[in-house]
Amino acid sequence: MRVKEGNKEKDILEAAIKLFAEVGYHKAKISKIAEMAGVAAGSIYLYFEDKEDILLKIFDEIWHRIYLELLKIKNNSNLSPFDKFDAMIDLIFDIYIENPNLAMVFVNEQNHIQRSTPEKFTVFYEKFLLSGEDIIKEGIEKHAFTNNLDINILRQFIFGAIRSLLQHWAIDPKTYPLNKIRQNIKFIIKYGIEK
Amino acid sequence: MRVKEGNKEKDILEAAIKLFAEVGYHKAKISKIAEMAGVAAGSIYLYFEDKEDILLKIFDEIWHRIYLELLKIKNNSNLSPFDKFDAMIDLIFDIYIENPNLAMVFVNEQNHIQRSTPEKFTVFYEKFLLSGEDIIKEGIEKHAFTNNLDINILRQFIFGAIRSLLQHWAIDPKTYPLNKIRQNIKFIIKYGIEK
DNA sequence: TTTATTTTTGAATAGTGGTTCATTATTAAG
DNA sequence: CTTAATAATGAACCACTATTCAAAAATAAA
């Protein structure tokens, strides 16, 4: 009997993340991913259902990680609502800094995957969103955050804005350092633009 | 000599907007657009360079319109900075309400087009962004808006958040009415979440 | 009508690239 | 060493669809 050597699944995933980040999902060829991963094109189909499945597993990985980290923040009773809020934003930025390619795929292809396979996609994403909601809820209950806002809308607003800025940064990284962007985001969300 | 009858270019554009909105750019077939527009597939290539060019012209149209409207707002000296700000947000929502399909393409395919042909894309988009910036600048100069924020980041933040919410709304329109979303957006950006 | 010119057609083309599968390589067990 | 079972290969397949182009249709001018 033969046993799988090395970690081809991981190699393929990493190659895919890199290529998706560079050229986007649609222009990334399976043959190229295989080449980058050092396997034959056909071998990809031993580890993944099809091309879409690769993207799906990438998203699974990242959302799972984000979710677990957010859970820690949420359950840390030493943090004030605003501390938690800051930590949540830092979390997303940290992941971005740690693995820009992964983050790039994450911001660019979210639409695509949400459209094409909403049912498979939602597992960890939903969990993440709910945890984010909990943090906001706590802030409102403790009278730190305004109660004039709908939680759902607020959640979508915050993550949408962050995603948009990260995307923009990825296209043109030299205009602003990520830390300045992060700091501005925190300020706007907390205090708004009114002087 | 023969003369072009009807307005095939417009028919094709409208069909494309509808189909792109429904199934997305990549899954929209030229043959289907042709069928919906009531022309032969080959005829599309009399009016457009290629498939991408159709999308490009759609974006041209919408950005041009938004830009012209925003210019009116910007130059209306009867409006306070906050009035202008509100009008700017209303403008985007009004276009969305007036032609949801067009708006759908606008929020969904912006990434794609910005990636694939950034140079052709930027004409009206840049103009629009600059006008938006001017409105914010005026607010800061008149001491209505905080001067703690970078204009560029703020601009990206605002439009990113709006886009994200509209996209969300398009997927699931029944959860919230657009007016509630609009009102929440205005509130967050003005006052932030701090109580 | 006839001719010239331009528009429109849609079947044929052509290139792409995801996916399959017969074959080969590799390893473990007997 | 032989056999069995699984892993890996990559050329061939095939479905799909954007694009082309030779022919036909429509219109204006002569």
Side-chain angles (χ1 to χ4, degrees):
Chain A
M1 200 186 64
R2 189 185 178 184
V3 151
K4 289 181 185 178
E5 7 121 1
N7 197 338
K8 294 215 166 51
E9 178 167 352
K10 199 180 156 219
D11 293 344
I12 294 166
L13 269 180
E14 278 171 5
I17 287 170
K18 196 160 177 223
L19 194 61
F20 288 165
E22 274 168 20
V23 304
Y25 176 77
H26 278 103
K27 289 190 179 167
K29 299 178 203 165
I30 290 284
S31 56
K32 184 73 183 173
I33 294 173
E35 184 199 317
M36 290 168 73
V39 301
S43 300
I44 289 180
Y45 292 85
L46 300 173
Y47 297 91
F48 302 91
E49 297 260 318
D50 50 25
K51 191 180 171 185
E52 189 99 3
D53 189 41
I54 303 176
L55 192 59
L56 213 60
K57 291 210 171 120
I58 292 174
F59 272 88
D60 248 24
E61 187 198 320
I62 189 166
W63 280 121
H64 188 55
R65 251 175 54 203
I66 295 181
Y67 164 65
L68 291 179
E69 288 297 321
L70 191 59
L71 213 55
K72 280 190 213 159
I73 295 168
K74 180 185 141 189
N75 294 329
N76 183 341
S77 50
N78 290 326
L79 300 176
S80 76
F82 271 113
D83 288 341
K84 286 188 184 180
F85 179 78
D86 280 355
M88 184 168 75
I89 289 177
D90 286 338
L91 169 60
I92 295 171
F93 273 83
D94 289 346
I95 285 175
Y96 211 101
I97 290 164
E98 181 202 320
N99 189 343
N101 283 333
L102 181 59
M104 196 78 161
V105 177
F106 164 65
V107 295
N108 281 328
E109 313 298 344
Q110 176 116 359
N111 285 354
H112 168 71
I113 201 149
Q114 215 154 4
R115 249 181 187 243
S116 60
T117 49
E119 66 292 348
K120 289 186 190 171
F121 173 60
T122 43
V123 191
F124 288 119
Y125 183 55
E126 282 299 337
K127 285 187 172 185
F128 160 77
L129 288 178
L130 288 176
S131 294
E133 237 180 63
D134 285 344
I135 289 175
I136 297 171
K137 255 185 214 158
E138 194 194 325
I140 295 175
E141 277 160 15
K142 290 190 173 171
H143 304 290
F145 302 164
T146 180
N147 58 6
N148 284 326
L149 294 170
D150 182 277
I151 290 176
N152 231 300
I153 294 176
L154 181 55
R155 190 189 73 182
Q156 193 73 29
F157 178 91
I158 293 171
F159 294 125
I162 293 175
R163 182 155 27 126
S164 170
L165 274 165
L166 288 178
Q167 208 160 15
H168 192 71
W169 179 82
I171 293 170
D172 178 25
K174 54 196 170 308
T175 311
Y176 297 107
L178 268 186
N179 272 336
K180 179 164 187 183
I181 295 173
R182 181 202 306 230
Q183 171 199 325
N184 270 262
I185 288 178
K186 286 178 182 173
F187 187 97
I188 303 172
I189 297 174
K190 275 184 206 161
Y191 310 117
I193 60 171
E194 201 194 37
K195 188 155 194 179
Chain B
M1 201 186 63
R2 191 184 177 187
V3 152
K4 290 182 183 176
E5 6 121 4
N7 195 338
K8 294 212 166 54
E9 179 167 353
K10 198 179 156 219
D11 293 344
I12 294 166
L13 269 180
E14 278 172 3
I17 288 170
K18 196 162 178 221
L19 194 60
F20 289 165
E22 274 168 19
V23 303
Y25 175 77
H26 279 102
K27 289 190 179 166
K29 298 178 204 164
I30 290 284
S31 56
K32 183 74 184 174
I33 295 173
E35 184 199 317
M36 290 168 73
V39 301
S43 300
I44 289 181
Y45 292 85
L46 299 173
Y47 297 91
F48 301 91
E49 296 260 317
D50 50 24
K51 192 180 170 185
E52 189 99 2
D53 189 43
I54 303 175
L55 192 58
L56 212 60
K57 292 213 172 116
I58 291 173
F59 272 87
D60 248 23
E61 187 197 319
I62 189 168
W63 279 121
H64 189 55
R65 251 175 53 201
I66 295 181
Y67 164 66
L68 291 179
E69 288 297 322
L70 191 60
L71 212 56
K72 281 190 213 158
I73 294 169
K74 180 185 139 189
N75 295 328
N76 183 340
S77 50
N78 290 327
L79 299 177
S80 76
F82 272 113
D83 288 343
K84 286 187 184 179
F85 179 80
D86 280 354
M88 185 168 74
I89 290 177
D90 285 339
L91 168 60
I92 296 172
F93 273 82
D94 288 347
I95 285 174
Y96 212 102
I97 290 164
E98 182 203 319
N99 190 344
N101 283 332
L102 182 58
M104 196 78 159
V105 177
F106 165 66
V107 295
N108 281 329
E109 313 296 345
Q110 176 115 358
N111 285 354
H112 168 72
I113 202 147
Q114 215 154 3
R115 250 182 187 245
S116 60
T117 49
E119 66 293 347
K120 290 186 190 171
F121 172 59
T122 44
V123 191
F124 288 119
Y125 183 54
E126 283 299 337
K127 285 186 172 186
F128 159 77
L129 287 179
L130 287 176
S131 295
E133 239 182 61
D134 286 345
I135 289 176
I136 296 171
K137 255 185 216 159
E138 193 194 326
I140 294 174
E141 277 160 16
K142 291 191 174 170
H143 304 289
F145 302 165
T146 180
N147 56 5
N148 285 325
L149 294 169
D150 182 278
I151 291 176
N152 229 300
I153 295 176
L154 181 56
R155 190 188 73 182
Q156 193 73 28
F157 178 91
I158 293 171
F159 294 126
I162 293 174
R163 182 155 29 126
S164 170
L165 274 165
L166 288 177
Q167 207 160 14
H168 192 73
W169 180 82
I171 293 170
D172 177 26
K174 53 197 170 307
T175 310
Y176 296 106
L178 268 187
N179 272 335
K180 180 164 187 182
I181 295 174
R182 181 201 308 231
Q183 171 199 325
N184 269 262
I185 288 178
K186 287 180 183 173
F187 187 96
I188 303 172
I189 297 175
K190 276 185 206 162
Y191 309 117
I193 61 171
E194 201 194 38
K195 190 158 192 174

